[in-house]
Amino acid sequence: MLCKNCGKNPAQKYVIKSDGRERQVFLCRACYEKLYGEADEADFFTSLMGGMGEAAEAACPVCGTTLEDFRATGLLGCAHCYTAFREEITPTVRRIQGKTRHEGKVPETAAGEKYELVRELVREQDRLKGELERAMRERDFSAAEKLKERLREINHKLYRGSGA
């Protein structure tokens, strides 16, 4: 969750007491100090304890499912929940499934040459996606364009059936 004040830094949950009432704010440490003065040790420990409940209050930005909903039902609301709650659900997925990356199953009758060609194309596709990402980060747009063209060729073979 990002700071509700600056919107840039990771936020912590602080409990603010004023006029005998308590309210929760989600701020980064810098904004908290700017708005409410120097954070003392009590505020620090309150924010740490609040941080434990903060994950439960976080919600998926697309469907609104909360982490508490997931814990209660074992179900996520949409595909975006996996990104929104990645840190919290990864240990659960690993414990249940053994892995966090889907690898699929291999049909017993798919041991032929065509299957091996498809597997090789998928491996090449994964490798090229990584190279494309690196090229874009390094702003090497000519290399990125060549990689995108090669990915298009592989996608055509895989999903339109030409050559595979």
Side-chain angles (χ1 to χ4, degrees):
M1 174 178 278
L2 293 178
C3 175
K4 295 295 183 186
N5 187 51
C6 68
K8 297 177 184 174
N9 300 318
Q12 293 180 338
K13 177 179 166 184
Y14 292 95
V15 177
I16 307 299
K17 296 177 184 174
S18 62
D19 300 329
R21 296 175 48 199
E22 291 183 359
R23 64 185 176 96
Q24 300 172 0
V25 293
F26 296 93
L27 302 169
C28 65
R29 189 163 180 90
C31 288
Y32 177 83
E33 288 176 358
K34 183 171 56 172
L35 295 170
Y36 298 102
E38 184 101 16
D40 61 11
E41 285 184 31
D43 290 332
F44 175 73
F45 288 115
T46 300
S47 69
L48 283 179
M49 295 304 288
M52 290 169 55
E54 176 184 341
E57 294 173 2
C60 173
V62 176
C63 70
T65 299
T66 65
L67 196 53
E68 277 303 313
D69 295 338
F70 170 70
R71 288 184 180 136
T73 65
L75 302 172
L76 295 172
C78 70
H80 299 282
C81 291
Y82 289 94
T83 304
F85 303 126
R86 173 171 288 163
E87 296 292 321
E88 294 86 357
I89 67 172
T90 298
T92 304
V93 171
R94 184 175 286 120
R95 186 174 56 250
I96 293 170
Q97 298 180 356
K99 298 180 182 178
T100 57
R101 180 182 168 122
H102 178 68
E103 294 178 1
K105 293 184 179 180
V106 178
E108 292 177 22
T109 60
E113 184 178 308
K114 186 173 182 177
Y115 174 73
E116 287 303 318
L117 177 60
V118 169
R119 270 180 64 163
E120 190 58 40
L121 285 172
V122 170
R123 281 191 209 113
E124 177 74 3
Q125 184 183 42
D126 287 342
R127 186 185 65 76
L128 289 173
K129 285 179 182 177
E131 286 183 29
L132 176 62
E133 194 173 309
R134 181 195 49 77
M136 293 300 288
R137 273 196 312 266
E138 294 174 0
R139 298 187 180 270
D140 186 356
F141 299 117
S142 62
E145 187 59 40
K146 290 175 187 172
L147 291 165
K148 285 190 334 189
E149 182 56 38
R150 179 67 182 131
L151 276 168
R152 279 189 209 105
E153 291 171 9
I154 290 174
N155 286 340
H156 185 73
K157 287 179 183 178
L158 284 171
Y159 303 114
R160 292 194 177 75
S162 78

